[in-house]
Amino acid sequence: MSASVTAVSSNGTYSFTKPNRASITLLAGLGVEGDVHAGVTVKHRSRVAQDPTQPNLRQVHLIHEELFDEVRAAGFEVAPGELGENVTTRGIDLLGLPVGTLLHLGAEAVVEVTGLRNPCLQIDHFQDGLLKQVVGRDELGNVVRRAGIMSVVKAGGVVRPGDPVKVELPEGPHRPLDRV
């Protein structure tokens, strides 16, 4: 099975969920056109409160649709865009990619993977108990974050559901993803 985009979402106002769209336009160095989190510097409220001059390493949020299948088995219903992601994919292990991976989305757009989304309590406000499904601990006690990855836009372009996703791994050695 080849990797593909299954949904695209954006929102011009702060809200936990993002409505699905027929397409989104990625802008190099900024993020999703018209999305509240687009910009050169941080836009997430908690990051702005810490230091509004930090670079925005969270321009585009991607989640693998397989996560929705997993949480459904635990009794939760989650649809694309409902966890605030911009791009929902299928057929790619997003969480297993190293930092610096380039993801070619459709014909033109390219994003560079910067790290893991750090899920927050808002997930439990969306559906009580869901946070424990997307954040846990491994057998060694290390925190495991499963709520998607963050990226920056390297090359702009239009992204639509059904577009292919091509993975371009960085030169080694590979660095595992950490929260950004």
Side-chain angles (χ1 to χ4, degrees):
M1 172 193 212
S2 57
S4 65
V5 173
T6 60
V8 293
S9 310
S10 67
N11 200 339
T13 59
Y14 281 104
S15 149
F16 183 70
T17 62
K18 294 184 185 231
N20 293 157
R21 309 287 183 191
S23 67
I24 56 173
T25 301
L26 301 187
L27 304 172
L30 293 174
V32 179
E33 182 177 50
D35 192 83
V36 70
H37 294 113
V40 174
T41 57
V42 292
K43 301 300 175 196
H44 287 79
R45 290 177 174 168
S46 62
R47 306 289 166 127
V48 170
Q50 291 172 354
D51 177 3
T53 66
Q54 294 176 72
N56 188 2
L57 301 177
R58 300 164 57 101
Q59 294 174 356
V60 180
H61 176 201
L62 298 95
I63 284 186
H64 52 295
E65 192 172 50
E66 292 85 350
L67 177 65
F68 304 153
D69 300 336
E70 293 173 31
V71 300
R72 186 174 301 111
F76 296 91
E77 282 300 320
V78 180
E82 289 187 334
L83 294 183
E85 76 276 11
N86 301 111
V87 178
T88 310
T89 65
R90 184 165 282 281
I92 180 172
D93 178 13
L94 294 176
L95 303 177
L97 297 173
V99 171
T101 298
L102 297 178
L103 297 175
H104 298 258
L105 306 172
E108 299 174 325
V110 180
V111 297
E112 180 178 346
V113 176
T114 56
L116 296 168
R117 175 188 184 187
N118 191 28
C120 65
L121 194 56
Q122 284 184 323
I123 291 176
D124 269 350
H125 296 304
F126 172 66
Q127 286 186 41
D128 190 41
L130 185 57
L131 184 60
K132 286 185 180 180
Q133 298 297 313
V134 298
V135 176
R137 295 202 177 266
D138 65 15
E139 57 281 346
L140 299 174
N142 300 310
V143 175
V144 176
R145 294 170 180 85
R146 301 180 337 119
I149 63 172
M150 306 308 282
S151 64
V152 295
V153 181
K154 301 307 272 185
V158 176
V159 182
R160 295 177 180 85
D163 280 348
V165 178
K166 181 182 158 240
V167 176
E168 184 181 340
L169 294 173
E171 297 286 326
H174 293 164
R175 290 185 302 129
L177 297 179
D178 198 2
R179 68 185 174 103
V180 292

